[in-house]
Amino acid sequence: MNLLDLDYMLGLVPVLLSYLPLTLEMAAAGMVLALILACLLAVIRVLAIPGLNAATILFISFFRGTPLLVQLFLFYYGLPQVFSALTEINGVTATILGLTLHFSAYMAESIRAAIIGVDRSQTEAALSVGMTNAQLMRRIVLPQATRIAVPTLMNYFIDMIKATSLAFTLGVTELMGATQKEAAGSFLYFEAFITVAIIYWGIVELLAWLQRRLEARFNEAYQR
């Protein structure tokens, strides 16, 4: 049994880390856009806006019920055949679009649950003093729902970072795509993939630590 080529693994780390910014950029862009869309979807669901509510339920059902990889292929390979204006879409854009729509469907339900979890007596008090539904959402409900939803949303961001590894199937040379190329060139597949696994693991552990710190601060602020 051959031992691991540790020199190769150590030399591979800086090479792979040079592709980490693209991975993080795609995840960050997808997270921001997904959060904006998820908040909109959650509010529509909570207020049960006629017409929009049915469309939102269908949207959430589709993007939660189909694999992310299928959605990425649909956006990158399928839609350009139907809409000629999308023929110039590149792998990075398709990945961000897929991450945004896929995770917004999950995040919307988490945010909706957080909104519903806000003490009803506070919403009734706000309405009794003449607040509109929009003011109620902005000033009372969403700030408190944020504290409830933050742990779950951070978990989605962690999942989103790992999901960017699918971007290599669209020809994007990010962290996973670079690993695939390095492994194919060296034939040291185990060493290459265990190295990238450790890098992903380290990123996730760092984010988990930040999540715990963020939760503690939210709890401290809420208790004051």
Side-chain angles (χ1 to χ4, degrees):
M1 181 177 179
N2 295 327
L3 297 176
L4 291 176
D5 191 334
L6 295 179
D7 289 337
Y8 171 76
M9 293 174 66
L10 291 174
L12 187 58
V13 170
V15 175
L16 296 183
L17 288 179
S18 67
Y19 294 92
L20 180 58
L22 178 57
T23 292
L24 296 179
E25 286 169 11
M26 289 191 296
M31 184 65 184
V32 171
L33 295 173
L35 185 57
I36 294 171
L37 180 56
C39 287
L40 178 61
L41 296 173
V43 170
I44 291 173
R45 292 279 286 115
V46 170
L47 298 180
I49 299 174
L52 291 178
N53 190 42
T56 297
I57 293 173
L58 180 62
F59 174 93
I60 292 173
S61 175
F62 177 79
F63 283 101
R64 291 180 68 184
T66 55
L68 176 57
L69 184 58
V70 173
Q71 295 165 19
L72 292 178
F73 277 29
L74 178 64
F75 298 141
Y76 189 65
Y77 297 111
L79 289 183
Q81 291 186 335
V82 180
F83 303 102
S84 58
L86 297 178
T87 54
E88 299 300 320
I89 190 172
N90 58 40
V92 172
T93 302
T95 299
I96 293 174
L97 178 61
L99 293 174
T100 297
L101 298 180
H102 182 82
F103 282 94
S104 68
Y106 286 92
M107 291 163 62
E109 289 299 278
S110 297
I111 294 172
R112 183 175 73 90
I115 291 174
I116 294 173
V118 174
D119 190 348
R120 187 171 180 81
S121 64
Q122 296 186 44
T123 62
E124 291 174 348
L127 291 173
S128 68
V129 297
M131 278 193 183
T132 64
N133 283 329
Q135 291 173 327
L136 172 65
M137 280 290 173
R138 186 175 70 254
R139 298 178 183 179
I140 305 296
V141 176
L142 288 181
Q144 295 189 56
T146 298
R147 183 184 64 86
I148 299 172
V150 160
T152 303
L153 296 179
M154 281 295 294
N155 286 334
Y156 284 134
F157 182 57
I158 290 172
D159 287 342
M160 195 175 290
I161 287 177
K162 293 184 288 186
T164 60
S165 62
L166 294 175
F168 89 95
T169 63
L170 306 184
V172 179
T173 306
E174 39 65 70
L175 193 53
M176 186 61 186
T179 305
Q180 183 75 12
K181 289 184 178 180
E182 292 293 330
S186 66
F187 294 103
L188 296 175
Y189 290 96
F190 184 79
E191 285 89 340
F193 289 124
I194 196 65
T195 300
V196 77
I198 292 172
I199 291 174
Y200 276 117
W201 185 19
I203 295 169
V204 169
E205 285 301 305
L206 175 60
L207 288 173
W209 177 78
L210 291 174
Q211 176 184 350
R212 290 191 293 271
R213 293 292 300 272
L214 189 60
E215 285 181 42
R217 291 203 172 187
F218 267 107
N219 289 332
E220 289 174 5
Y222 182 73
Q223 291 171 0
R224 289 174 184 172

